[in-house]
C-alpha cells in the first residue's frame, strides 16, 4: 500500500524528496491496532492544542509589549481594543490549561496500559521531555501579563535555584539578568516563551517518529501480530479522533466563553508590585502537585530536589516496572494500585492549592492555656480554653502523599512486577476484539 | 464511550473542586450574593443600572479612585449617546502637547481619553488618604474572588465595630474586608447622588449600580463573548453529532 503519485508534479517532487510518501505513511496507511479506545485520542488532541497555542500566541505577540511598565496595560489593550483580542487571550490562557489536562490524561493512559515498556522507552522519554518543556513554557508565559501572581510566581520559582549549594545565588542572578525579577527577566522570558514551543514541535516530530517505528500500544498491550489486528490510520482513526476533538472543543469552549477566568487567579488582574506580597502565592493548577511536594519537605534544597525528582523518576519508569505485561487489564494488583496512585496525584494537586500552615481537619475541645510554651496555672489547676485538640495539618497530608508518590514508583512497581500473577493474555488483538463483540462467543465462554 | 465521558466529567469536576478550593482558601467570609442581570449563560449588563453606576462613580468614587483603562468612547456600549460621551469627557482637563511653540497646554477631554486619575502619583494619593492607596477600579471586579458580590458586599458592609474590636484611628470597620479594618470610610450614604431617572438613591441601590458599572469596566466584552460562545457550542454539538455518525458508518464494516 505504498504511495504512488499519479500527478506528474507530485512525482517530480517525490523522486527528489519523498515527503508526500512520508506523510502518506504517517497519516494514511500507518497500521494501527484495531482496538484503540478513546483514551488514545488525547495524543492527537495534544497536537491540536500545541497548534492552537502557537497560532493564538503568535497573534498575541503582535499586540503585546514585553516591558515592566507596559506589559500589563498591553494585555488590557488586547482585551479591550484589539478586534477579538479577548478571544485570543482567553483562548491562549485557557488553552494552556486544556493542553495540560489533555497531556496529563495522555500520560496516565500511558501509565495504565504500560505504554512506556520496551520497545517504547524512547517514545516515553521524548514525551517526558515535551512535558518538561511545556512546564517551562507555561511558567514563563504566566509571567508575561505582569500581574501580581506573574511577578511573585516568577520570584518564588526562580528563587528555588538559590538552594543549589555554592553556585545557587549566581544562577538566580543569571536567570534574572539582575538582582531581582525585573525588566531583563520579563524580556528573556518573553523571548524563551516564543522559542520553546518550536522546540516542542521538534520533539513532537521525534515523538511521532518513535511512535511510528514501534507502533501504537493498545488496550490489551499485546503487539500487532498479523494483518487482522491492524487497520489503516485513515479513515478509521482520523474520524474517531475528529469526533473526540469535537467533544473536547465543546469542553474547551465552555471554559473559554463562559468561565474564562475560572482557572486563573484574581490577583493576576492586579499589576505587579514588588513591594506588596500577595496573601497566598499559588501557581497555576497544573503545577500544584509539584508545588505540594516542594512544600512538603522542610529543607529548601531537599524540597527542590524532590520536586524535580518527581519528574526525573518518571524517566526510569520503563526499568522500575518489572512486569512484562503491559496493560493493567491483565494485572489485578497493579490495576488497583494505579487508581490509588491517580488519587494520590489528585490529592497532591489539591494540597498544592492549600495554604502551607493550615489544617485539613481539626478536632476542637478544651486545651491548656500556653504562654511561651509554659502551661498557665491558677490555684494549682491548669487554665483551660477552647482550642484545637487534634489537627491533621496540610503539611502532614502533603508529606504522606509525597511519600506514597515515590513509594509507588520506586518500591511498589518493581516489587509487584515480581510477585503479581497476571491474568491470561489474549492470543491476539483480533481475538480480544472478537471475544467482546460476539455474543455467541460470550455465551460459549460462560 | 459512556465510560469515557463519565471519567472525563469526573476529572473535570475534580479539577473544578481543586481550583475552587484553591480560591476559597483565600477568605472565609461569606459574601452577600445577588442574582445579577449579567450573571448566567445569557446574562447581559443592565444598561439603566450601569448608567446610574457611572453617575455614582463620577460623583462619589472618582474623588479617590481612578479608572485608567476605560476610555470615554467605550461608554457607548452602555447606551450613552455621542453627545453625552463628549459632554462627560469635556468635564475633565487633560495636559496635551507640545504645541507649535513647544509648550504643553491643557485642553478639555475628548472621547478617546481615559477617565482621569485623581492623583498625579501614588505618593500624592497616599499623602491625601492617611497613607492608604485607593486602587484604580478598572479591573477591581476581576481582581477579587467573586468580584461583583464582593464589591457589593463591601460597599454595603460598613457597620459599627464589635465592642472588643480594636479599630485604629482613621480606619473603618467593614464586615467583608479582609481583617475588617479598611482605610476607606463608608463611601455611600442615603441620597449621596440624585439619580436623573428618579430611582431612589438608597445605599443598596447605589452599591448595586456602581457594581454593575465596574463589572462592565472590568469585562466590557462579556456580552459578545457569551453570544459567540453560544453559537460556537451549538455548532460544535452538531459537528460532534455528524462526526459520530460518520465514525459509526466508517467503522461498521469492521465488526
Amino acid at each position: 500500500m505504498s504511495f504512488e503519485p499519479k500527478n506528474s508534479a507530485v512525482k517530480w517532487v517525490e523522486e527528489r524528496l519523498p515527503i508526500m510518501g512520508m506523510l502518506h505513511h504517517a497519516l494514511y496507511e500507518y497500521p494501527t491496532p484495531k482496538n484503540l479506545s478513546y483514551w488514545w485520542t488525547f495524543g492527537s488532541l495534544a497536537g491540536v492544542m500545541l497548534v492552537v497555542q502557537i497560532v493564538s500566541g503568535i497573534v498575541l505577540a503582535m499586540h503585546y509589549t514585553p516591558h515592566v511598565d507596559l506589559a500589563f496595560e498591553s494585555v488590557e489593550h488586547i482585551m479591550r481594543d484589539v478586534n477579538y483580542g479577548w478571544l485570543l487571550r482567553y483562548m491562549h490562557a485557557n488553552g494552556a490549561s486544556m493542553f495540560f489536562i489533555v497531556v496529563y490524561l495522555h500520560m496516565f493512559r500511558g501509565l495504565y496500559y504500560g505504554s512506556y515498556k520496551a520497545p517504547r522507552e524512547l517514545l516515553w522519554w521524548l514525551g517526558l521531555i515535551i512535558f518538561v518543556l511545556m512546564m517551562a513554557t507555561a511558567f514563563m508565559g504566566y509571567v508575561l501579563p505582569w500581574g501580581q501572581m506573574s511577578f511573585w510566581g516568577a520570584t518564588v520559582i526562580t528563587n528555588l535555584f538559590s538552594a543549589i549549594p555554592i553556585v545557587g545565588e549566581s544562577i538566580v542572578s543569571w536567570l534574572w539578568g539582575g538582582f531581582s525579577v525585573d525588566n531583563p527577566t520579563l524580556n528573556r522570558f518573553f523571548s524563551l516563551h516564543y522559542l520553546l514551543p518550536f522546540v516542542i514541535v521538534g520533539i513532537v516530530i521525534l515523538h511521532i517518529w518513535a511512535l511510528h517505528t514501534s507502533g501504537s500500544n493498545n488496550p490489551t498491550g499485546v503487539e500487532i501480530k498479523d494483518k487482522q489486528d491492524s487497520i489503516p490510520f485513515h479513515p478509521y482513526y482520523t474520524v474517531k479522533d475528529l469526533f473526540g476533538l469535537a467533544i473536547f472543543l465543546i469542553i474547551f469552549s465552555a471554559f473559554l466563553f463562559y468561565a474564562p477566568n475560572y482557572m486563573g487567579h484574581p490577583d493576576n488582574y492586579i499589576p505587579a508590585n514588588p513591594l506588596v506580597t500577595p496573601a497566598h502565592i499559588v501557581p497555576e493548577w497544573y503545577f500544584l502537585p509539584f508545588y505540594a511536594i516542594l512544600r512538603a519537605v522542610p529543607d529548601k534544597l531537599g524540597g527542590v530536589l524532590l520536586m524535580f525528582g518527581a519528574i526525573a523518576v518518571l524517566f526510569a519508569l520503563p526499568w522500575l516496572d518489572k512486569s512484562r505485561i503491559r496493560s493493567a487489564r491483565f494485572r489485578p494488583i497493579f490495576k488497583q494500585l494505579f487508581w490509588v496512585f491517580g488519587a494520590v496525584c489528585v490529592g497532591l494537586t489539591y494540597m498544592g492549592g492549600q495554604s502551607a500552615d493550615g489544617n485539613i481537619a481539626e478536632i476542637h475541645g478544651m486545651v491548656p492555656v500556653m504562654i511561651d510554651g509554659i502551661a498557665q496555672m491558677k490555684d494549682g489547676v491548669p487554665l483551660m480554653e477552647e482550642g484545637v485538640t487534634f489537627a491533621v495539618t496540610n503539611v502532614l497530608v502533603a508529606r504522606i502523599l509525597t511519600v506514597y508518590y515515590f513509594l509507588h514508583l520506586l518500591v511498589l512497581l518493581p516489587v509487584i512486577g515480581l510477585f503479581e500473577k497476571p491474568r491470561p493474555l489474549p492470543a491476539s488483538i483480533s481475538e480480544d476484539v472478537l471475544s467482546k463483540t460476539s455474543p455467541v462467543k460470550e455465551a460459549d465462554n460462560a | 464511550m459512556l465510560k469515557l465521558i463519565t471519567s472525563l466529567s469526573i476529572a473535570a469536576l475534580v479539577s473544578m473542586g481543586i481550583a475552587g478550593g484553591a480560591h476559597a482558601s483565600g477568605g472565609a467570609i461569606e459574601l452577600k450574593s445577588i442574582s445579577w442581570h449579567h450573571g448566567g449563560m445569557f446574562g447581559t449588563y443592565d444598561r439603566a443600572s450601569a448608567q446610574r453606576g457611572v453617575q455614582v462613580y463620577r460623583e462619589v468614587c472618582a474623588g479617590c479612585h481612578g479608572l485608567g483603562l476605560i476610555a470615554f468612547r467605550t461608554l457607548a456600549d452602555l447606551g450613552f449617546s455621542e453627545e453625552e460621551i463628549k459632554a462627560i469627557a469635556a468635564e475633565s482637563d487633560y495636559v496635551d502637547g507640545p504645541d507649535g511653540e513647544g509648550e504643553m497646554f491643557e485642553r478639555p477631554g475628548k472621547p478617546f481619553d481615559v477617565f482621569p486619575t485623581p492623583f498625579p502619583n501614588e505618593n500624592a494619593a497616599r499623602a491625601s488618604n492617611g497613607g492608604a492607596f485607593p486602587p484604580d477600579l478598572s479591573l477591581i471586579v476581576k481582581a477579587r474572588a467573586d468580584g461583583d458580590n464582593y464589591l457589593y458586599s463591601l460597599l454595603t458592609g460598613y457597620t459599627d465595630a464589635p465592642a472588643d474590636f480594636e479599630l485604629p484611628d482613621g480606619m473603618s470597620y467593614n464586615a467583608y474586608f479582609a481583617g475588617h479594618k479598611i482605610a476607606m470610610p463608608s463611601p455611600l450614604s442615603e441620597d449621596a447622588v440624585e439619580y436623573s431617572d428618579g430611582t431612589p438613591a438608597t445605599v443598596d441601590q447605589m452599591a448595586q449600580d456602581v457594581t454593575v458599572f465596574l463589572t462592565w469596566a472590568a469585562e466590557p466584552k462579556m456580552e459578545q463573548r457569551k453570544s459567540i460562545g453560544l453559537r460556537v457550542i451549538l455548532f460544535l454539538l452538531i459537528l460532534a453529532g455528524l462526526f459520530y455518525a460518520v465514525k459509526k458508518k466508517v467503522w461498521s464494516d469492521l465488526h
Side-chain angles (χ1 to χ4, degrees):
Chain A
M1 215 171 47
S2 69
F3 179 64
E4 275 158 27
K6 290 182 188 78
N7 183 304
S8 59
V10 176
K11 203 169 172 182
W12 186 89
V13 174
E14 194 63 15
E15 281 162 3
R16 286 152 181 85
L17 179 72
I19 189 166
M20 305 300 276
M22 196 180 84
L23 289 174
H24 184 267
H25 172 76
L27 300 170
Y28 197 95
E29 69 197 33
Y30 171 57
T32 317
K34 63 199 284 190
N35 61 339
L36 298 190
S37 67
Y38 278 100
W39 290 111
W40 264 260
T41 305
F42 294 104
S44 65
L45 289 184
V48 168
M49 280 321 295
L50 179 60
V51 173
V52 167
Q53 290 303 86
I54 288 178
V55 172
S56 59
I58 286 173
V59 184
L60 284 171
M62 294 174 188
H63 302 280
Y64 168 79
T65 312
H67 186 282
V68 288
D69 296 331
L70 303 168
F72 188 88
E73 279 197 36
S74 75
V75 171
E76 280 307 311
H77 160 70
I78 291 169
M79 292 296 286
R80 291 159 193 274
D81 300 329
V82 174
N83 289 332
Y84 297 99
W86 59 269
L87 179 63
L88 283 168
R89 184 193 162 230
Y90 279 154
M91 187 186 290
H92 199 70
N94 286 282
S97 283
M98 289 296 144
F99 198 178
F100 272 97
I101 290 176
V102 163
V103 164
Y104 277 133
L105 290 171
H106 187 61
M107 290 168 75
F108 275 107
R109 190 270 291 149
L111 288 180
Y112 187 83
Y113 292 110
S115 301
Y116 46 84
K117 291 183 191 181
R120 297 185 182 82
E121 301 97 322
L122 281 184
L123 178 59
W124 174 252
W125 274 23
L126 288 164
L128 287 174
I129 292 168
I130 293 168
F131 175 56
V132 171
L133 287 172
M134 271 177 70
M135 293 207 287
T137 310
F139 163 67
M140 288 190 276
Y142 193 62
V143 176
L144 302 185
W146 210 242
Q148 273 290 68
M149 277 302 159
S150 297
F151 179 86
W152 288 99
T155 302
V156 169
I157 301 300
T158 49
N159 257 314
L160 293 179
F161 292 92
S162 70
I164 302 169
I166 306 166
V167 291
E169 296 291 341
S170 309
I171 288 179
V172 174
S173 301
W174 178 72
L175 288 173
W176 285 341
F179 300 101
S180 66
V181 174
D182 207 336
N183 204 50
T185 326
L186 178 59
N187 269 250
R188 62 191 54 193
F189 278 17
F190 178 58
S191 170
L192 294 172
H193 182 71
Y194 208 120
L195 168 71
L196 288 187
F198 296 98
V199 179
I200 294 178
V201 169
I203 311 285
V204 164
I205 291 171
L206 296 182
H207 188 66
I208 296 172
W209 189 3
L211 171 75
H212 286 212
T213 304
S214 40
S216 298
N217 187 25
N218 68 81
T220 63
V222 176
E223 295 288 350
I224 294 173
K225 283 177 183 151
D226 60 42
K227 271 202 155 143
Q228 278 214 315
D229 292 342
S230 77
I231 47 179
F233 190 78
H234 181 76
Y236 295 105
Y237 286 109
T238 39
V239 70
K240 192 165 179 169
D241 281 358
L242 280 173
F243 174 62
L245 176 65
I247 298 293
F248 167 73
L249 288 179
I250 291 171
I251 299 168
F252 184 8
S253 301
F255 279 103
L256 168 52
F257 292 106
Y258 293 101
N261 293 303
Y262 188 82
M263 291 183 281
H265 196 288
D267 276 17
N268 228 27
Y269 281 109
I270 304 170
N273 185 348
L275 302 175
V276 179
T277 318
H280 299 285
I281 301 176
V282 192
E284 293 277 82
W285 70 266
Y286 37 80
F287 292 134
L288 291 177
F290 304 103
Y291 195 54
I293 292 175
L294 170 75
R295 294 190 308 178
V297 186
D299 175 64
K300 190 176 173 185
L301 179 61
V304 173
L305 288 177
L306 218 57
M307 181 178 76
F308 287 114
I311 299 166
V313 68
L314 296 175
F315 281 89
L317 205 55
W319 298 275
L320 287 171
D321 188 345
K322 294 287 179 209
S323 171
R324 300 185 66 177
I325 311 297
R326 289 197 188 89
S327 172
R329 269 175 59 184
F330 306 103
R331 300 185 58 191
I333 302 173
F334 171 76
K335 191 175 178 175
Q336 310 287 332
L337 290 175
F338 169 85
W339 290 108
V340 176
F341 181 70
V344 164
C345 291
V346 171
L348 279 169
T349 311
Y350 178 78
M351 295 318 297
Q354 301 303 304
S355 70
D357 49 6
N359 300 330
I360 201 164
E362 14 186 81
I363 298 169
H364 291 261
M366 299 305 282
V367 293
V369 180
M370 307 284 280
I371 293 175
D372 293 335
I374 300 161
Q376 299 299 298
M377 308 292 276
K378 195 186 178 188
D379 306 329
V381 186
L383 264 175
M384 303 294 275
E385 63 175 352
E386 267 291 314
V388 178
T389 50
F390 179 76
V392 183
T393 62
N394 287 345
V395 173
L396 178 70
V397 177
R399 281 179 188 162
I400 293 171
L401 294 173
T402 302
V403 167
Y404 189 87
Y405 179 92
F406 286 99
L407 184 78
H408 175 89
L409 294 171
L410 293 173
V411 180
L412 297 181
L413 270 189
V415 170
I416 55 169
L418 299 175
F419 294 100
E420 185 180 46
K421 189 175 179 314
R423 291 173 45 211
L425 291 178
S428 71
I429 293 170
S430 183
E431 186 204 271
D432 183 66
V433 171
L434 287 175
S435 75
K436 275 192 184 146
T437 48
S438 145
V440 182
K441 194 122 188 191
E442 287 283 291
D444 283 354
N445 286 346
Chain B
M1 185 57 221
L2 198 69
K3 212 171 131 191
L4 182 74
I5 291 176
T6 322
S7 320
L8 281 181
S9 4
I10 290 170
L13 284 175
V14 166
S15 64
M16 281 181 168
I18 288 159
H23 293 170
S25 63
I29 312 163
E30 197 177 324
L31 301 173
K32 296 181 192 175
S33 185
I34 283 194
S35 131
W36 299 98
H37 194 272
H38 56 255
M41 266 186 86
F42 302 98
T44 53
Y45 292 116
D46 179 342
R47 297 294 192 279
S49 175
Q51 291 196 13
R52 290 194 298 270
V54 173
Q55 193 184 346
V56 175
Y57 167 75
R58 295 182 67 222
E59 293 179 21
V60 181
C61 319
C64 300
H65 294 277
L67 207 52
L69 296 172
I70 317 300
F72 293 114
R73 60 180 162 78
T74 59
L75 289 176
D77 293 358
L78 294 178
F80 285 93
S81 70
E82 207 173 316
E83 278 64 41
E84 287 171 315
I85 291 171
K86 279 182 180 163
I88 292 173
E91 280 180 40
S92 319
D93 285 329
Y94 289 80
V95 176
D96 205 344
D99 62 13
E101 264 73 57
E103 301 296 327
M104 302 301 282
F105 59 91
E106 284 212 340
R107 58 156 177 82
K110 301 266 178 64
F112 57 72
D113 286 313
V114 293
F115 275 85
T117 29
F119 302 101
N121 53 58
E122 183 177 333
N123 288 6
R126 287 191 189 277
S128 308
N129 289 284
F133 179 51
D136 186 278
L137 297 182
S138 307
L139 281 166
I140 202 76
V141 171
K142 284 204 290 193
R144 300 288 181 275
D146 197 11
D148 46 9
N149 284 324
Y150 172 77
L151 187 57
Y152 169 73
S153 303
L154 185 88
L155 290 172
T156 57
Y158 284 87
T159 55
D160 290 331
D164 57 345
F165 191 85
E166 266 184 57
L167 199 62
D169 270 354
M171 300 292 252
S172 302
Y173 184 85
N174 190 299
Y176 299 96
F177 193 70
H180 303 307
K181 282 175 274 196
I182 184 165
M184 172 170 73
S186 176
L188 301 172
S189 55
E190 212 70 1
D191 294 318
V193 302
E194 193 182 325
Y195 281 137
S196 49
D197 65 357
T199 308
T202 60
V203 169
D204 190 84
Q205 184 67 46
M206 287 183 288
Q208 283 197 36
D209 291 342
V210 81
T211 300
V212 171
F213 168 55
L214 290 176
T215 307
W216 167 82
E219 187 74 2
K221 307 292 184 185
M222 180 202 73
E223 294 178 2
Q224 193 190 9
R225 165 161 64 74
K226 286 179 180 173
S227 85
I228 292 179
L230 189 67
R231 281 174 280 164
V232 167
I233 288 178
L234 283 177
F235 169 81
L236 286 173
L237 282 170
I238 295 167
L239 188 71
L242 288 175
F243 279 145
Y244 188 67
V246 176
K247 191 250 159 191
K248 277 268 172 214
K249 177 91 173 66
V250 167
W251 281 70
S252 62
D253 64 354
L254 271 189
H255 301 312

